[in-house]
Amino acid sequence: MPMDPATLSRRRLLGATAMGLSGVALSSLMAESRSHFPAKAKRVIWLFMHGGPSHVDLFDPKPELIRHAGKPLPESYGTVETRRKVAQNPLLAPVKPFRKHGQSGIEVSDFLPNMAQLVDEMCVIRSCHGDSVNHPQSVYQMNTGSIQMGKPSMGSWVSYGLGSENADMPAFVVLPDPGGGLKGGPPAWGSGYLPATYQGTTMQAGGSPILHLHGPQSTARQRATLDLIQQMNAQHQARHKADSELDARIRAYELAFRMQSAAPEVVDISRETEATKRLYGLDHAQMKEFGTRCLLARRMIERGVRFVQIYSGDTNGWDAHENVMKNHSDLCARTDLPVAGLITDLKQRGLLEDTLVIWGGEFGRMPMSEKGVGRDHNPWGFTTVLMGAGVKHGHVHGATDEFGLRAAEDKVHIHDLHATILHTLGLDHERLTFRLNGLDQKLTGVAECHVVKSILA
């Protein structure tokens, strides 16, 4: 029955739409009932190296690639699908040496001297593989499980399944690289066919952390304005069928009102100690920007944000077609120490025990050279590193072939990786579903995939 506008009080409005402060908080907390079994991880920080970091130059040492450098790939490898037709080009040796580190003896390139000191915290998956040689499709697949645009991102699935631990903050926050947008754009953190309220909220450092959201001059006046908008929305909803976009907008208004006071405190790092700031590299001009976002991620998960995704790399990022040494030297110098600082900080605060940290990109790079000193895209075999809750530490899983071209042992498809990440959060990828057009949709799609149990702690 349509509501009578004349008798539509604020109390009735908030009760009817469940958009009061308690309603939003309750809906977020009740979402946690979707967990399927006890979780090792409560939250995720995903360090997304956009553009495709070179596994054979960072985490996957290949002695044969050194021995056969300058020669073509053996014919026994058959046809190789590449983006820029480099299959017949000479093999390119790793551009920096690898060395063993830690008690585990895991080999890491000299590109990453600070992360290398933390190998005993790492689960290095060297046998990941995907399905597209192009950036947008691969970015979508790594984020959403599908090479097609418009599917829900993992952060959206996790917030749909578990909700936020803080009613004043979104469950899923994205910290994009200010240098430029990623290939594929915001659909990488979109909610797809899930209700729009589960899409990633982009934030930034500074006095206005929420994009396009500025604090009011008068809180009381804004509250009155918001109540009027909500009243009009409620009247519209009462006359029309359920509308996910409108429902999300109503929720967004309320959440935005609360975030105006909560978010500035989250991004205010002025009270952090100087030692903490140095840990993240904030005293180095080259590291400060990425280090600040890593520090913000820690502050966010402390305050109940469930899923934080940090992008490294502008529109081109780690896409080392022209020169691996130049490209990776720059990006590793920006990110290596801040990532190590984040892991160290999480550990010393006891947060690494129930936080899963992911490091990786949408694919790796080819063992063959491009223009003599660069490398083309390689989705057929690459590395993803997991750290923290739910996974083995000081562990290497799987392998690519002797040149690093294709996943060869204990292969981990992107769907397997997603199933495993969900498992650490207490979510069964087969049971975390959303009904759409008569079918139960899920992050891992319809193809057979499995949790990689051998990497679980």
Side-chain angles (χ1 to χ4, degrees):
M1 178 181 296
M3 296 184 184
D4 181 0
T7 60
L8 187 60
S9 67
R10 180 183 173 199
R11 178 175 296 179
R12 285 193 63 195
L13 165 70
L14 297 179
T17 62
M19 284 300 106
L21 302 185
S22 60
V24 176
L26 180 62
S27 65
S28 295
L29 293 173
M30 288 183 64
E32 295 187 34
S33 64
R34 289 196 185 100
S35 61
H36 303 124
F37 43 80
K40 294 289 183 71
K42 293 182 179 179
R43 61 194 76 87
V44 172
I45 297 176
W46 192 338
L47 305 164
F48 199 105
M49 306 294 115
H50 172 240
S54 176
H55 59 297
V56 294
D57 291 294
L58 297 174
F59 285 106
D60 194 3
K62 292 297 173 186
E64 290 301 305
L65 194 54
I66 298 174
R67 283 193 280 270
H68 290 80
K71 301 177 183 178
L73 187 74
E75 292 183 1
S76 59
Y77 275 71
T79 302
V80 180
E81 183 180 352
T82 69
R83 178 69 177 82
R84 297 194 177 184
K85 300 180 180 180
V86 301
Q88 304 304 316
N89 289 3
L91 294 167
L92 176 64
V95 299
K96 280 200 175 186
F98 280 77
R99 305 180 200 277
K100 292 183 178 181
H101 295 272
Q103 294 183 351
S104 58
I106 296 175
E107 292 183 78
V108 178
S109 164
D110 284 356
F111 270 123
L112 300 169
N114 295 286
M115 289 182 66
Q117 300 305 310
L118 298 172
V119 292
D120 292 334
E121 300 293 338
M122 296 180 183
C123 180
V124 182
I125 305 175
R126 289 177 173 164
S127 54
C128 293
H129 63 104
D131 301 315
S132 175
V133 297
N134 296 314
H135 286 289
Q137 290 88 341
S138 293
V139 167
Y140 294 146
Q141 185 171 39
M142 184 56 77
N143 277 279
T144 74
S146 172
I147 62 174
Q148 297 178 331
M149 182 175 64
K151 301 298 176 66
S153 62
M154 174 176 283
S156 295
W157 278 110
V158 171
S159 57
Y160 166 69
L162 299 179
S164 178
E165 296 180 303
N166 183 344
D168 294 337
M169 289 293 293
F172 176 22
V173 169
V174 179
L175 299 169
D177 192 308
L182 75 161
K183 291 184 171 74
W189 55 78
S191 59
Y193 46 72
L194 292 179
T197 189
Y198 296 114
Q199 66 188 343
T201 298
T202 53
M203 293 182 66
Q204 61 188 357
S208 300
I210 312 298
L211 302 181
H212 314 301
L213 178 64
H214 301 284
Q217 293 182 343
S218 168
T219 301
R221 183 173 181 177
Q222 190 196 27
R223 178 72 261 178
T225 301
L226 179 60
D227 286 346
L228 176 60
I229 293 172
Q230 302 294 59
Q231 178 179 346
M232 296 170 68
N233 284 336
Q235 293 172 8
H236 179 85
Q237 276 195 315
R239 295 192 300 269
H240 299 81
K241 63 180 181 179
D243 184 339
S244 169
E245 293 291 337
L246 178 58
D247 182 64
R249 181 62 59 89
I250 293 173
R251 290 173 180 263
Y253 277 133
E254 284 286 351
L255 181 58
F257 179 78
R258 298 193 305 278
M259 283 196 298
Q260 283 173 339
S261 60
E265 188 278 330
V266 172
V267 303
D268 180 9
I269 62 174
S270 62
R271 295 185 181 181
E272 296 285 347
T273 66
E274 292 304 313
T276 297
K277 293 176 183 178
R278 287 194 300 271
L279 187 64
Y280 285 85
L282 270 58
D283 55 337
H284 292 277
Q286 194 172 20
M287 307 173 191
K288 184 176 181 179
E289 189 284 316
F290 187 77
T292 298
R293 287 189 283 138
C294 287
L295 178 53
L296 293 182
R298 189 219 81 204
R299 292 176 62 84
M300 287 177 184
I301 65 165
E302 282 182 312
R303 289 157 177 78
V305 176
R306 184 74 68 177
F307 199 105
V308 180
Q309 194 169 35
I310 306 173
Y311 281 88
S312 162
D314 53 19
T315 305
N316 293 316
W318 297 73
D319 199 17
H321 288 286
E322 303 294 327
N323 189 319
V324 176
M325 179 65 82
K326 183 178 184 301
N327 176 279
H328 280 32
S329 291
D330 178 42
L331 286 159
C332 288
R334 295 185 202 176
T335 63
D336 174 45
L337 188 145
V339 171
L342 172 64
I343 300 303
T344 301
D345 198 19
L346 291 174
K347 186 175 182 180
Q348 66 189 15
R349 293 171 185 269
L351 292 168
L352 198 59
E353 297 175 1
D354 53 11
T355 302
L356 178 66
V357 180
I358 307 167
W359 184 101
E362 64 267 37
F363 44 49
R365 315 302 299 185
M366 287 286 175
M368 299 80 77
S369 63
E370 181 177 353
K371 300 181 180 180
V373 292
R375 297 190 192 276
D376 197 8
H377 311 164
N378 182 7
W380 317 124
F382 60 96
T383 296
T384 301
V385 179
L386 306 181
M387 294 167 276
V391 297
K392 291 179 179 177
H393 299 166
H395 179 74
V396 173
H397 175 89
T400 51
D401 56 49
E402 61 182 355
F403 296 120
L405 176 61
R406 300 184 179 106
E409 299 176 16
D410 297 323
K411 299 178 183 180
V412 177
H413 188 271
I414 290 173
H415 290 157
D416 301 318
L417 180 65
H418 287 172
T420 306
I421 292 169
L422 290 179
H423 183 89
T424 67
L425 291 161
L427 296 169
D428 183 341
H429 73 104
E430 295 282 4
R431 296 162 62 192
L432 182 65
T433 61
F434 185 84
R435 196 75 171 175
L436 179 71
N437 298 328
L439 297 174
D440 287 332
Q441 305 289 337
K442 56 182 181 175
L443 172 65
T444 51
V446 298
E448 183 178 358
C449 66
H450 305 279
V451 172
V452 186
K453 295 183 178 179
S454 60
I455 73 168
L456 299 177

